[in-house]
Amino acid sequence: MIFFSHTHSDKQIIEPIAQIFANTFGQENIFYDSWSIQPGDGIIDKMSEGLSKCKFFFFFVSKNSLQSSMVQLEWQNMLMRASNNTGIKFIPVKLDDCLMPIILLQTLYIDVYGKGLEYAVRQMVDVVNGRNTYSPGLQRYENVRGYVTKLSISEVNIEFKAESYAEPISRYLILLDNNESEIEFKVTNESMYNNSFTSNIQLNDGTHANAIFIGVSRSTTPTFPLKVNVKSKTNSPIQLKGLMRATSDDQFSGIPLIHV
C-alpha cells in the first residue's frame, strides 16, 4: 500500500501524481482519499486501515499541509512507526518554499519545488520500485521563478523573483499567443527599462509564440523582484504560454511558472 498524505488545498498538484501512481502500480494499491474513501465510509476508520497496510508513506510537505492538524497527526504517527519498523518507508515530498519541520531535516526529501514535477515523480516511482534515485550529472536548480497573479481574464501581474541569491542578468521573455496590437504591458516597479515585442519566435520544442521582452540594468534579487503588468486592450483573455530568462547574451531558458 502506498499512502498519500496531503491536504485538500494541494489537490491540484497531488491529483496528477496520484493518477500516474494508479496507472503504474494499480489504483487499489494507492491510498488516495479521492478514491479510497467513498460516501458513507468512516473517514478515520478508512485512514487507519490505509495506514496499517502502508509500506510507502509519501508526506507532501507544503505551507498548507503543515497547517492541517489531520495531516500532522498522520505524518507524525507514521514517522514514529517508520523509525521503529524497517518495513515502512517515510518519504517527504516538498511542494513549495515552506520551512521543513526540524524533525524531517535528517531525512532526504524529494523536491518538487526545486527540481520540478516530472523529475520528482520519477524519483517517487524509483523509491517504490527499489531503484537508486540518484541520477548521474548535476540536476539543474532554477533560482528564478515567475509568480503569476490573475487579476481578470484580460489582465495579469507577473513577478520575476530570485529565490536564493542575486541574478546579475535581468532580461526576461513573456511568451503568449496574443498579438502585439491586442495587449499593453509595463514594469510597475521600475521607471527605466528596455522592452520590445517579437512575433512568432520558435521555441526549442518546435512550437511558436509571441514574446514580450523586458530588461533592466540591475540584478534580480530575493528582495527586489521585477514586476510586470500585462493587460488586454480589447478585454480578450491573456493567453500566457510560459516565461524565460536570459542565461547569456544570446540564450534564454524556461523558468517555473507559479500561479498565486
Side-chain angles (χ1 to χ4, degrees):
M1 178 63 72
I2 301 165
F3 194 102
F4 280 13
S5 178
H6 67 288
T7 179
H8 184 80
S9 302
D10 294 328
K11 271 198 177 294
Q12 185 175 4
I13 190 170
I14 306 299
E15 189 81 24
I17 300 175
Q19 291 295 340
I20 291 171
F21 266 65
N23 294 337
T24 305
F25 301 106
Q27 183 172 301
E28 70 279 4
N29 295 313
I30 317 296
F31 188 95
Y32 177 57
D33 58 1
S34 291
W35 59 66
S36 299
I37 302 176
Q38 297 300 309
D41 289 341
I43 296 176
I44 301 299
D45 289 342
K46 277 292 186 179
M47 290 182 62
S48 296
E49 179 184 342
L51 289 169
S52 68
K53 298 177 180 178
C54 175
K55 299 300 181 185
F56 298 92
F57 183 90
F58 288 98
F59 169 35
F60 292 91
V61 192
S62 69
K63 294 174 182 176
N64 293 324
S65 67
L66 291 175
Q67 293 176 357
S68 168
S69 56
M70 178 65 76
V71 174
Q72 183 181 51
L73 183 64
E74 286 176 5
W75 75 259
Q76 289 183 352
N77 284 340
M78 188 54 68
L79 182 61
M80 184 177 297
R81 284 184 55 194
S83 65
N84 297 316
N85 185 343
T86 56
I88 298 173
K89 282 206 170 188
F90 182 100
I91 309 104
V93 181
K94 187 177 181 182
L95 296 181
D96 59 21
D97 60 345
C98 63
L99 294 176
M100 294 290 284
I102 293 175
I103 197 172
L104 296 183
L105 292 180
Q106 62 180 341
T107 305
L108 289 176
Y109 62 85
I110 293 173
D111 191 5
V112 173
Y113 178 68
K115 294 187 176 180
L117 183 62
E118 183 179 349
Y119 177 76
V121 171
R122 287 202 307 270
Q123 279 192 304
M124 292 173 66
V125 171
D126 284 346
V127 168
V128 176
N129 283 329
R131 291 195 293 263
N132 192 321
T133 61
Y134 172 74
S135 296
L138 293 175
Q139 299 300 322
R140 181 170 172 265
Y141 169 75
E142 181 50 71
N143 182 40
V144 177
R145 291 166 183 140
Y147 293 85
V148 179
T149 302
K150 184 178 179 180
L151 304 180
S152 69
I153 64 168
S154 59
E155 183 176 6
V156 297
N157 284 335
I158 300 170
E159 181 177 295
F160 295 97
K161 182 181 178 183
E163 297 292 334
S164 303
Y165 47 83
E167 291 286 351
I169 302 176
S170 296
R171 288 183 283 144
Y172 302 102
L173 294 179
I174 301 172
L175 306 176
L176 66 175
D177 282 334
N178 303 85
N179 296 320
E180 183 175 14
S181 61
E182 298 176 331
I183 61 166
E184 55 187 4
F185 57 90
K186 62 180 179 180
V187 177
T188 59
N189 63 336
E190 289 284 333
S191 57
M192 300 288 291
Y193 57 92
N194 297 318
N195 68 92
S196 63
F197 190 99
T198 304
S199 300
N200 199 35
I201 65 171
Q202 183 170 337
L203 307 178
N204 290 336
D205 62 2
T207 62
H208 291 76
N210 299 325
I212 299 170
F213 168 79
I214 299 289
V216 295
S217 58
R218 64 167 175 86
S219 297
T220 302
T221 71
T223 57
F224 200 178
L226 187 67
K227 300 179 180 180
V228 183
N229 175 267
V230 182
K231 184 188 302 184
S232 168
K233 296 178 181 178
T234 61
N235 291 324
S236 58
I238 297 296
Q239 301 175 62
L240 187 64
K241 294 190 69 173
L243 303 171
M244 304 184 80
R245 72 178 180 96
T247 54
S248 65
D249 284 343
D250 57 356
Q251 294 291 324
F252 283 79
S253 65
I255 62 174
L257 188 155
I258 302 168
H259 293 277
V260 296

